[in-house]
């Protein structure tokens, strides 16, 4: 169905930003150096393919395919989530790892970028099967990850439970390695190694605020950009996606005075003109297994209060803010001209193709790009990593205040670049990121 190659889209975005930078590069030598670095940035430094044999509950064996792409580490260890999805492809993971390089640079955290993926529909596995698959993947990654090498975290369909299993396998391998040299891991090593995976449960060394950080970061970025656009609150919102990110961004927007009128998951969406109560809607969805009929507004769910909408129709609703928070390629050249929102806040990675970007730009609809708007998650991952390295545990208030400062500063830098060079916000975010990455590549 979806033939658009996300890595090609990513490279188109890179080229566009490189052109802006080239115009400001004066000397021949500097131009040559820029070209050479761009060549490096057009491919990942390392791609690891893993084969994961897993014993299924019925005694049979199934082989799963996994990947880890380590794209660039000029600014620090590789960093990025692990995705479990039946449609994972090598080029998708490559694109996602590239976007992580850019994202960490925009957020100005000391990391490069990477991404992992396993081709699996996790809903088709039992919890025991999911654990065996995850542990096999964790063992396969054990040599290439670590707090100073590559620091994974959750992404689509992965969470704290999965991070805990991965970390457990990593630490087991480190203990075995130490043992083979007749040594024991020191307490401080065990502590530091916790920083290898982020998005862990608090009991495993996770950070306060990490689970909702992507959604909260999205709110901070949106508020910063709306202030620049001089758009007031009381705006209506449609959110595509109701996973961790979609749910949390809907929740924070609702709490802050926005009116969330539509949400959806992979099975379809709902439209509730009075405004959705995200927490009640989630509880209803958990009970029923689907969103249809969960027309929850205020403190009640009422079948008369809403209607079903398809994922496609949700994107074209007459709302002020459209939030694609599901997967890549939601907005394409097929539907971008029908978008009615005043602003797009990208909470998924890569939801808008370059063709759709051009259409939306022409229509005067600002697209707040993924590498800025969803960078709250990786930012609190960086805080988690720092806490693990220092053996500290910060309060939620402190974490959220630090997150806000980072998001406001990133949004400001991107806005200023867009004004300075008269470019769209995505290209501006790339220009900001590239400036920092190129400097680190010296
Ligand atoms: N998967 C998230 C992202 O795409 C978080 C990555 C991380 O925390 O390393 O930004």
């Amino acid at each position: 169905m979806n033939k658009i190659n996300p890595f090609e889209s990513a490279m188109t975005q890179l080229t566009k930003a490189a052109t802006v930078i080239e115009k400001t590069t004066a000397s021949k030598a500097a131009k040559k150096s820029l070209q050479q670095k761009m060549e490096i940035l057009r491919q990942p430094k390392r791609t690891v393919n893993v084969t994961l044999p897993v014993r299924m509950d019925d005694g049979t064996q199934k082989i799963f395919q996994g990947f880890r792409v380590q794209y660039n580490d000029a600014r620090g260890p590789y960093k990025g989530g692990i995705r479990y999805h039946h449609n994972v492809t090598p080029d998708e993971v490559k694109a996602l790892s590239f976007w992580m390089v850019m994202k960490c640079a925009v957020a100005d955290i000391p990391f490069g970028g990477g991404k992992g993926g396993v081709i699996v529909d996790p809903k088709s596995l039992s919890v025991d099967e999911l654990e065996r698959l995850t542990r096999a993947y964790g063992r396969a990654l054990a040599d290439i990850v670590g707090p100073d090498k590559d620091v994974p975290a959750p992404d689509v369909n992965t969470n704290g439970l999965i991070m805990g299993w991965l970390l457990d396998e990593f630490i087991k391998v480190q203990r075995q390695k130490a043992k083979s040299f007749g040594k024991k891991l020191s307490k401080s090593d065990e502590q530091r190694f916790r920083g290898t995976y982020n998005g862990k449960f608090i009991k495993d060394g996770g950070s306060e605020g990490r689970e909702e950080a992507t959604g909260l970061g999205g709110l901070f970025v949106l508020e910063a950009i709306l202030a620049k656009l001089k758009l007031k609150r009381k705006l209506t919102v449609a959110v595509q996606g109701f996973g961790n990110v979609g749910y949390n961004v809907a929740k924070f927007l609702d709490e802050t005075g926005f009116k969330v009128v539509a949400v959806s998951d992979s099975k379809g969406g709902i439209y509730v003109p009075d405004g959705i109560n995200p927490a009640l809607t989630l509880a209803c969805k958990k009970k029923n297994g689907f969103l249809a009929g969960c027309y929850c507004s205020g403190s009640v769910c009422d079948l008369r209060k809403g209607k079903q909408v398809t994922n496609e129709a949700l994107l074209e609703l007459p709302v002020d803010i459209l939030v694609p928070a599901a997967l890549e390629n939601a907005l394409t050249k097929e539907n971008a001209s029908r978008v009615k929102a005043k602003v797009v806040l990208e909470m998924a990675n890569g939801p808008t193709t370059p063709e759709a970007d051009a259409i939306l730009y022409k229509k005067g609809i600002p697209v707040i790009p993924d590498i800025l708007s969803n960078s709250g998650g990786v930012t609190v991952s960086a805080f988690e990593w720092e806490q693990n390295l220092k053996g500290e545990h910060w309060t939620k208030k402190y974490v959220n205040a630090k997150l806000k400062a980072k998001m406001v500063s990133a949004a400001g830098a991107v806005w200023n670049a867009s004004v300075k060079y008269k470019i769209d916000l995505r290209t501006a975010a790339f220009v900001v990121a590239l400036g920092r990455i190129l400097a680190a590549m010296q």
Side-chain angles (χ1 to χ4, degrees):
M1 193 184 79
N2 224 333
K3 293 249 164 55
I4 304 158
N5 182 327
F7 190 66
E8 280 170 21
S9 299
M11 291 302 103
T12 305
Q13 296 164 348
L14 177 64
T15 304
K16 204 169 164 193
T19 313
V20 176
I21 293 184
E22 211 191 331
K23 278 191 199 139
T24 65
T25 311
S27 77
K28 244 189 160 175
K31 273 198 165 66
K32 192 174 165 207
S33 154
L34 175 66
Q35 253 175 19
Q36 285 174 342
K37 288 177 187 171
M38 283 300 164
E39 220 177 310
I40 296 171
L41 284 173
R42 289 190 170 278
Q43 38 234 316
K45 208 158 166 188
R46 191 199 292 187
T47 303
V48 178
N49 295 308
V50 295
T51 304
L52 309 168
V54 176
R55 183 173 52 77
M56 306 306 280
D57 290 346
D58 65 4
T60 60
Q61 172 179 277
K62 227 173 160 173
I63 308 270
F64 293 88
Q65 223 50 56
F67 313 94
R68 182 78 187 166
V69 180
Q70 299 181 323
Y71 204 97
N72 185 280
D73 62 349
R75 301 185 77 253
Y78 303 103
K79 178 93 197 81
I82 289 168
R83 172 173 298 200
Y84 283 1
H85 198 275
H86 53 280
N87 285 337
V88 161
T89 65
D91 266 7
E92 181 195 37
V93 184
K94 205 158 95 172
L96 291 165
S97 68
F98 168 77
W99 284 322
M100 285 311 303
V101 180
M102 298 293 140
K103 193 185 300 187
C104 292
V106 170
D108 204 10
I109 51 174
F111 287 102
K115 199 86 177 194
V118 177
I119 307 173
V120 59
D121 173 8
K123 289 177 196 101
S124 71
L125 301 184
S126 71
V127 176
D128 288 346
E129 289 166 344
L130 186 67
E131 177 169 357
R132 287 194 289 272
L133 169 66
T134 300
R135 288 186 179 279
Y137 187 53
R139 283 191 298 278
L141 294 186
D143 281 340
I144 60 159
V145 297
D148 315 304
K149 286 188 198 169
D150 184 353
V151 184
D155 195 72
V156 173
N157 290 331
T158 55
N159 54 23
L161 181 64
I162 289 172
M163 295 306 120
W165 290 328
L166 289 167
L167 178 66
D168 196 42
E169 285 307 311
F170 175 77
I171 291 186
K172 258 191 226 164
V173 171
Q174 305 314 313
R175 283 192 194 127
Q176 277 158 6
K177 272 192 198 161
K179 203 172 162 195
S180 69
F181 290 109
K183 288 194 183 132
K184 249 186 109 181
L185 281 192
S186 69
K187 264 221 156 80
S188 70
D189 274 344
E190 294 245 359
Q191 171 60 45
R192 275 177 52 76
F193 284 152
R194 304 220 146 258
T196 305
Y197 286 95
N198 304 141
K200 304 180 290 288
F201 289 146
I202 305 281
K203 70 168 175 62
D204 297 326
S207 175
E208 303 292 342
R210 173 62 187 87
E211 200 174 334
E212 61 271 36
T214 313
L216 185 58
L219 169 71
F220 292 147
V221 169
L222 179 65
E223 286 191 315
I225 300 292
L226 289 183
K228 302 281 186 193
L229 293 169
K230 302 199 168 39
L231 275 172
K232 289 252 154 39
R233 288 224 192 107
K234 269 288 159 212
L235 300 168
T236 56
V237 186
V239 182
Q240 186 196 44
F242 208 50
N244 174 314
V245 176
Y247 168 70
N248 275 301
V249 80
K251 190 190 96 173
F252 288 117
L253 289 173
D254 173 63
E255 283 172 6
T256 322
F258 293 85
K259 192 161 150 190
V260 181
V261 293
V263 295
S264 68
D265 63 16
S266 58
K267 293 185 200 129
I270 55 170
Y271 180 51
V272 182
D274 286 354
I276 280 161
N277 175 330
L280 269 190
T281 306
L282 182 66
C284 173
K285 181 196 147 148
K286 277 193 179 147
K287 200 172 120 212
N288 297 352
F290 43 81
L291 276 169
C294 290
Y295 310 139
C296 310
S297 191
S299 56
V300 285
C301 301
D302 183 338
L303 277 178
R304 291 164 303 183
K305 287 273 181 188
K307 60 173 189 184
Q308 272 178 265
V309 284
T310 61
N311 262 297
E312 293 74 34
L314 180 141
L315 298 170
E316 299 170 20
L317 283 173
V319 291
D320 297 311
I321 298 168
L322 176 63
V323 185
L327 294 168
E328 300 92 71
N329 304 333
L331 298 171
T332 66
K333 66 174 192 290
E334 313 301 333
N335 61 1
S337 61
R338 293 192 297 273
V339 169
K340 294 177 192 71
K342 295 192 183 86
V343 178
V344 175
L345 177 74
E346 291 188 329
M347 293 304 292
N349 289 311
T352 312
T353 65
E355 288 100 339
D357 257 339
I359 295 169
L360 293 169
Y361 190 66
K362 259 205 191 130
K363 278 170 67 104
I365 303 175
V367 176
I368 312 177
D370 47 6
I371 58 168
L372 170 66
S373 34
N374 73 26
S375 66
V378 73
T379 299
V380 177
S381 274
F383 297 163
E384 180 176 329
W385 171 81
E386 191 181 335
Q387 289 171 78
N388 293 149
L389 294 194
K390 293 180 175 165
E392 293 176 358
H393 188 76
W394 303 344
T395 64
K396 194 175 217 168
K397 199 171 161 207
Y398 183 68
V399 168
N400 288 350
K402 271 176 85 81
L403 171 65
K404 184 167 187 177
K406 277 282 194 200
M407 295 296 99
V408 168
S409 148
V414 170
W415 181 266
N416 290 344
S418 86
V419 172
K420 181 171 172 194
Y421 300 110
K422 298 189 178 57
I423 48 178
D424 60 280
L425 291 171
R426 186 185 317 283
T427 310
F430 267 67
V431 167
V432 170
L434 275 175
R436 293 172 181 162
I437 297 161
L438 294 169
M441 286 170 85
Q442 298 291 346

